[in-house]
Amino acid sequence: MKVLVTGGAGFIGSHVVEALHRAQYAVTIIDLSSDSHRYQAMNIPYYGIDINNKEKLEKAFELEKPDVVIHLAAQVDVKQSIIAPKDDAKTNILGTIYLLEAAKKFHVKKFIYASSAAVYGEPHYLAIDEEHPKQPLSFYGISKLTGEQYVQAFSTIHGLSYTILRYANVYGPGSSKKLNNDVINIFLSKMMNKQKPEVFGDGKQTRDFIYVKDIASATIAALYHGDNQTLNISTNHGTSINELIHSINSLLEDEVEPVYHPKREGDILDSYLDNGNAKEYLTWYPNSTLMDGLTETLSYMKQTHESNIDK
């Protein structure tokens, strides 16, 4: 099976690509980044192109003839979507349309679309299942939900098989420190350097933190399962910010106390996603505990920090 991964050099994409490569799939990467060196050594075809470049995109499809597309390329920064909504829409909506058109033109058998818990907005109830009302609070959430609707419409009109995966709060090795919505990366980066993490509110607010390797395994499971399904990929468990800080401190030599600030207006208090349908339709479940994921992520961050110092 030939699998094309957009955003394959990114945080989630790199884990998906490595898992596919280990399983001996024929993998192709499309990514805006020009950092293709690591994949050349793996003999993986790499196209450093923008998904909004229709001509180059279709040329890549023509050359590689993928059976399945895993669409991970996206503008994922919630705050950036507020600052520049047109850029967010260009990447997340128009880019998805160009990919769907290419998938139709070159007879792709299945389209796997990475969506987000951001499509739900303020929870009406917990755990949030896939039928929960969709009332996104950011332009990012709107663009991901719109992308879902285009995927479903292409399926209805053109018969393209799909699986939509709504990821919870993903963390793990390789996540960018620039992302304001990756609280685990921010906290680990600060606390390993003995800097106090900042908490807005009393720290009792909860989120559904899922390790990136579990995200990768769910995404690969969708190659064969979950046809024409929309599924939450999550732990089905809420972890409070205070619990998270306590867990990180248990891995450090010196305990670091947080600094508490007033709650920010518009912040969601509690959120976690029901993953029952993913377990049923993908025959998947998350393998990593929070401590497993934190331990591996912290180890990776220390290694890369030491490597940067050596340079």
Side-chain angles (χ1 to χ4, degrees):
M1 181 186 290
K2 299 192 73 173
V3 184
L4 187 152
V5 183
T6 72
F11 165 43
I12 295 173
S14 61
H15 288 273
V16 170
V17 166
E18 287 169 12
L20 287 167
H21 183 69
R22 284 195 303 271
Q24 299 185 326
Y25 287 92
V27 187
T28 297
I29 294 172
I30 289 178
D31 197 290
L32 189 56
S33 168
S34 59
D35 185 18
S36 62
H37 305 295
R38 61 191 287 197
Y39 300 106
Q40 288 173 352
M42 300 163 71
N43 201 29
I44 293 175
Y46 188 103
Y47 295 83
I49 60 177
D50 189 332
I51 58 174
N52 283 289
N53 189 322
K54 183 177 181 179
E55 182 179 348
K56 290 185 177 180
L57 187 68
E58 291 193 352
K59 186 64 176 177
F61 272 74
E62 183 181 8
L63 290 170
E64 299 299 333
K65 297 179 174 59
D67 298 302
V68 178
V69 171
I70 298 176
H71 180 29
L72 297 165
Q75 192 299 115
V76 297
D77 193 317
V78 172
K79 286 191 175 180
Q80 187 60 30
S81 79
I82 305 299
I83 296 168
K86 290 180 183 178
D87 292 340
D88 180 82
K90 181 181 178 182
T91 299
N92 293 353
I93 299 175
L94 289 179
T96 298
I97 293 171
Y98 285 132
L99 279 163
L100 287 164
E101 289 178 335
K104 171 181 170 289
K105 183 175 181 178
F106 293 98
H107 310 293
V108 167
K109 295 180 178 67
K110 188 169 187 180
F111 195 94
I112 299 171
Y113 177 75
S115 189
S116 167
V119 304
Y120 294 117
E122 186 76 39
H124 293 208
Y125 55 82
L126 296 172
I128 299 170
D129 59 25
E130 290 85 355
E131 300 306 313
H132 186 282
K134 284 73 176 176
Q135 297 172 321
L137 300 175
S138 67
F139 299 131
Y140 167 71
I142 293 170
S143 67
K144 295 307 288 184
L145 181 59
T146 304
E148 288 188 14
Q149 293 168 334
Y150 270 100
V151 171
Q152 291 166 333
F154 262 78
S155 176
T156 301
I157 296 167
H158 301 298
L160 177 62
S161 179
Y162 71 88
T163 303
I164 293 169
L165 304 175
R166 291 178 181 149
Y167 300 151
N169 297 74
V170 189
Y171 73 99
S175 179
S176 173
K177 297 182 180 66
K178 296 178 182 178
L179 287 181
N180 295 301
N181 38 312
D182 187 350
V183 65
I184 287 184
N185 187 288
I186 293 169
F187 281 13
L188 280 171
S189 181
K190 281 180 172 289
M191 293 171 70
M192 66 183 281
N193 291 298
K194 298 181 172 56
Q195 297 174 2
K196 295 179 181 292
E198 296 182 279
V199 178
F200 294 88
D202 59 11
K204 295 179 181 178
Q205 61 267 42
T206 61
R207 294 294 181 270
D208 191 334
F209 298 112
I210 182 162
Y211 191 46
V212 68
K213 289 183 179 178
D214 288 324
I215 289 288
S217 66
T219 304
I220 292 171
L223 294 174
Y224 300 102
H225 304 287
D227 287 356
N228 301 333
Q229 297 278 347
T230 299
L231 304 168
N232 290 333
I233 308 301
S234 67
T235 67
N236 196 35
H237 174 73
T239 299
S240 76
I241 300 302
N242 288 335
E243 289 173 322
L244 173 62
I245 291 170
H246 176 76
S247 296
I248 294 173
N249 270 322
S250 71
L251 299 174
L252 301 174
E253 292 180 5
D254 299 312
E255 189 169 307
V256 182
E257 293 297 325
V259 175
Y260 290 92
H261 300 288
K263 179 181 181 294
R264 291 179 296 202
E265 186 176 350
D267 278 359
I268 292 171
L269 182 59
D270 294 302
S271 177
Y272 64 94
L273 307 185
D274 186 331
N275 64 8
N277 284 334
K279 290 178 178 179
E280 179 179 354
Y281 295 112
L282 294 182
T283 63
W284 164 93
Y285 58 91
N287 281 312
S288 305
T289 67
L290 180 64
M291 287 304 297
D292 292 336
L294 289 175
T295 301
E296 289 190 24
T297 306
L298 182 61
S299 176
Y300 170 85
M301 293 177 75
K302 286 180 176 178
Q303 289 172 7
T304 53
H305 177 70
E306 289 169 2
S307 174
N308 289 334
I309 290 174
D310 290 341
K311 291 178 182 179

